[in-house]
Amino acid sequence: MIEIKNFLDNDDIEIIESGGPFTTFEYKRDLSVTPDNAMTAYFAAQMNVRKRQVACDLSKGNVTIQAGTMQWMAGNVNATTGIKGVGDFIGKAIRSRVTNETTIKPEYTGDGTLVLEPTYKYLLLLDVAEWGGSVVLDDGLFYACESTLKQKAVMRSTLSSAAAGGEGLFNLSLNGSGFCCLESEVPKEELIEVALNDDVLKIDGNLAIAWSSTLKFTVERSGKSLIGSAASGEGLVNVYRGTGKVLMAPVQSVGPIVNSQV
């Protein structure tokens, strides 16, 4: 029997949310600092730049994670490649090639505890059932999911949506019932959720991070004519049409900030 102390019950740890086998948490302060970086760590915490992690209770379900993200595990935990034969490996290799995801995503089974590597990005939990049983993810968001979810490569409805929409030709979709954990540049508090009922959403730029598979994604002119699009100054926009949901960031990601010493 395993007993873990001073972990999730640590007063410096704040649990963000839980769903399925996943619990996401963050460190309110970085206490492992030296006099040289104490000031940087203090102001980073004030600006919500904090280490975040995922703990997985495998007694609540098997999980599949992004390769290389396991930090430690305790108790009855078994790791497999998640590959079910040659055909499955070939299919996953092709999918990884077109979606920029890793070919092998390790699957962990048992009834112990699995903890993933810390990240300074934001961790989001989505219940795929609330997305009609199928959600499409923007590249690089996948962090972990319940193994009950099937992963597929979804091709864009038109080549123009990939070429002009700032997106790849393929995206990873998760299908079935279960929770997934995403690694986002934007906190959940700032994400905008738009629910469409046989309607349309037009976005100027690559701001959508997840959307229902039931939606048709295309790239269109912002106006009805070339002159109208030119006059509006918008040009082409990403269009999501149909019934489903879109999770959208309020601003375009600016990428990591590089600190320089003066």
Side-chain angles (χ1 to χ4, degrees):
M1 181 176 178
I2 296 287
E3 184 179 4
I4 302 173
K5 296 182 179 180
N6 198 34
F7 181 41
L8 294 180
D9 57 342
N10 188 309
D11 62 4
D12 194 45
I13 284 180
E14 181 178 354
I15 294 177
I16 304 172
E17 60 180 335
S18 298
F22 302 112
T23 297
T24 61
F25 59 94
E26 70 179 14
Y27 294 85
K28 292 184 286 187
R29 298 163 297 170
D30 189 353
L31 302 180
S32 302
V33 297
T34 67
D36 293 332
N37 60 11
M39 182 181 296
T40 299
Y42 173 79
F43 285 106
Q46 299 306 305
M47 294 302 296
N48 204 30
V49 179
R50 301 184 176 120
K51 287 187 293 187
R52 300 173 178 89
Q53 285 187 273
V54 182
C56 310
D57 182 355
L58 298 181
S59 66
K60 297 181 180 179
N62 300 337
V63 302
T64 301
I65 68 173
Q66 188 68 279
T69 58
M70 188 280 291
Q71 187 186 49
W72 60 274
M73 47 190 174
N76 177 29
V77 179
N78 304 300
T80 70
T81 61
I83 300 294
K84 301 175 179 63
V86 176
D88 185 43
F89 175 78
I90 294 175
K92 288 181 177 178
I94 295 173
R95 185 183 68 218
S96 68
R97 186 71 178 237
V98 299
T99 62
N100 294 322
E101 298 284 346
T102 56
T103 300
I104 296 177
K105 293 183 174 66
E107 181 179 336
Y108 290 82
T109 64
D111 55 14
T113 297
L114 169 69
V115 180
L116 305 188
E117 289 281 358
T119 176
Y120 281 99
K121 293 184 179 181
Y122 300 93
L123 298 170
L124 314 175
L125 292 184
L126 295 186
D127 184 354
V128 177
E130 295 181 355
W131 289 74
S134 183
V135 61
V136 182
L137 306 179
D138 197 18
D139 292 343
L141 260 75
F142 178 86
Y143 202 61
C145 73
E146 291 190 69
S147 299
T148 52
L149 293 172
K150 294 184 178 180
Q151 303 173 41
K152 297 181 181 178
V154 177
M155 185 176 180
R156 299 302 176 129
S157 56
T158 61
L159 290 175
S160 65
S161 64
E167 302 277 4
L169 183 58
F170 292 87
N171 281 93
L172 176 69
S173 73
L174 301 176
N175 307 271
S177 177
F179 281 82
C180 65
C181 181
L182 310 181
E183 193 179 27
S184 170
E185 298 279 359
V186 180
K188 187 174 184 179
E189 294 80 5
E190 292 185 356
L191 290 173
I192 303 166
E193 182 178 303
V194 181
L196 301 174
N197 185 10
D198 193 22
D199 217 316
V200 61
L201 170 68
K202 298 182 179 182
I203 305 174
D204 181 18
N206 181 20
L207 299 179
I209 68 170
W211 56 93
S212 301
S213 298
T214 52
L215 294 174
K216 181 180 179 182
F217 172 60
T218 59
V219 174
E220 303 173 7
R221 295 192 299 267
S222 60
K224 293 184 178 180
S225 65
L226 289 173
I227 296 177
S229 297
S232 67
E234 300 298 339
L236 299 175
V237 292
N238 292 345
V239 179
Y240 300 83
R241 184 176 280 107
T243 299
K245 297 196 295 184
V246 178
L247 197 59
M248 181 175 62
V251 293
Q252 196 83 34
S253 172
V254 295
I257 299 175
V258 178
N259 294 323
S260 59
Q261 295 182 349
V262 179

